[in-house]
Amino acid sequence: MTDNMGMLGKKAAQRTGVERVVVTPLPTLYGEFRAFGYVDHDRGDEHVALVHGDPGAAGVLTRLHSECLTGDAFGSRHCECGDQLASALREVVAAGRGVVLYLRGHEGRGIGLLAKLRAMALQAEGLDTVEANLALGLPVDARDYGAAAGMLADLGVESVRLMSNNPRKREALALHGIRVDEQVPLLIPPCESNITYLRTKRERLDHHLPHLDAMVHVSS
């Protein structure tokens, strides 16, 4: 009986949601930030909010950046993720205040690093990014933004100007109670290696990428 009661007590005490665990100054190539470290007790992921200036207000310039090792660290031209991260950090500093959330556990739109690499191998054989995920029996997009909303609430962000081309991020924040005042495009010039990937994001995932039209006109 005592052991059972002890187990119940442990389950009842189990933490949920996101918890801020550390704050530290973080000077970067783009400017001075504070890094707020969080743990997501529901999923076990660790996230970082890079904050420039005072985020506790309305209309805060904000980026929800999904972890992308190949793009962020290796400079892959298969996607535009690394350039988007750098651009978002520059824009936040230029604005005088803002937040960039680096969301781990989002690799490959939530399918994980090795699954993403397998999907990339299928894309090299001719499948698009949606078809490749489905061919592997994986969801097209498995990301969850509940932790992101919890981090913004903890930072005192009242509403955001969301740097994103993805309408689902805006919808997800609204679903979790974060008001989006404006969706700010984050358009990166395409290259030969990622133009097909970007067109798939526009045509099959509803990303707002009007700058791709110029590539069509140039090629024609």
Side-chain angles (χ1 to χ4, degrees):
M1 179 66 71
T2 302
D3 289 343
N4 289 339
M5 290 299 294
M7 290 295 293
L8 289 173
K10 288 180 181 179
K11 289 182 179 179
Q14 187 175 9
R15 297 179 180 178
T16 60
V18 291
E19 178 188 7
R20 184 200 299 187
V21 296
V22 63
V23 182
T24 183
L26 187 69
T28 76
L29 291 171
Y30 311 99
E32 299 292 325
F33 289 85
R34 287 173 294 151
F36 289 68
Y38 291 87
V39 61
D40 180 351
H41 291 292
D42 296 323
R43 294 173 174 266
D45 296 317
E46 297 174 344
H47 308 292
V48 176
L50 295 179
V51 177
H52 181 77
D54 181 9
V60 178
L61 192 62
T62 300
R63 166 76 179 163
L64 310 186
H65 190 84
S66 295
E67 175 184 28
C68 177
L69 179 68
T70 51
D72 299 339
F74 302 153
S76 169
R77 308 310 294 167
H78 181 270
C79 64
E80 82 279 42
C81 299
D83 289 334
Q84 283 190 317
L85 178 59
S87 180
L89 291 168
R90 282 193 293 265
E91 291 294 329
V92 160
V93 171
R97 66 184 177 96
V99 178
V100 176
L101 302 186
Y102 196 84
L103 302 171
R104 303 188 65 203
H106 280 205
E107 189 78 54
R109 296 197 300 270
I111 64 174
L113 177 59
L114 296 184
K116 182 178 82 169
L117 294 177
R118 287 195 288 268
M120 288 170 63
L122 291 177
Q123 291 168 59
E125 297 175 2
L127 297 186
D128 67 32
T129 181
V130 171
E131 294 166 344
N133 280 32
L134 295 176
L136 292 170
L138 298 170
V140 173
D141 193 336
R143 290 173 291 183
D144 180 86
Y145 297 98
M151 293 161 70
L152 291 173
D154 176 73
L155 292 169
V157 173
E158 297 174 14
S159 66
V160 301
R161 297 173 57 233
L162 181 65
M163 287 186 285
S164 178
N165 310 316
N166 184 356
R168 290 178 177 82
K169 288 186 178 180
R170 180 174 191 154
E171 294 164 2
L173 284 184
L175 181 66
H176 289 287
I178 300 296
R179 191 172 82 247
V180 179
D181 294 335
E182 179 186 3
Q183 190 158 338
V184 180
L186 193 58
L187 305 177
I188 305 300
C191 64
E192 184 178 351
S193 299
N194 66 24
I195 185 64
T196 298
Y197 167 81
L198 293 173
R199 285 174 177 155
T200 299
K201 288 175 76 172
R202 183 174 71 170
E203 295 163 11
R204 304 200 62 180
L205 300 174
D206 300 323
H207 287 222
H208 183 62
L209 299 168
H211 67 312
L212 299 186
D213 293 333
M215 291 292 292
V216 174
H217 296 325
V218 169
S219 62
S220 59

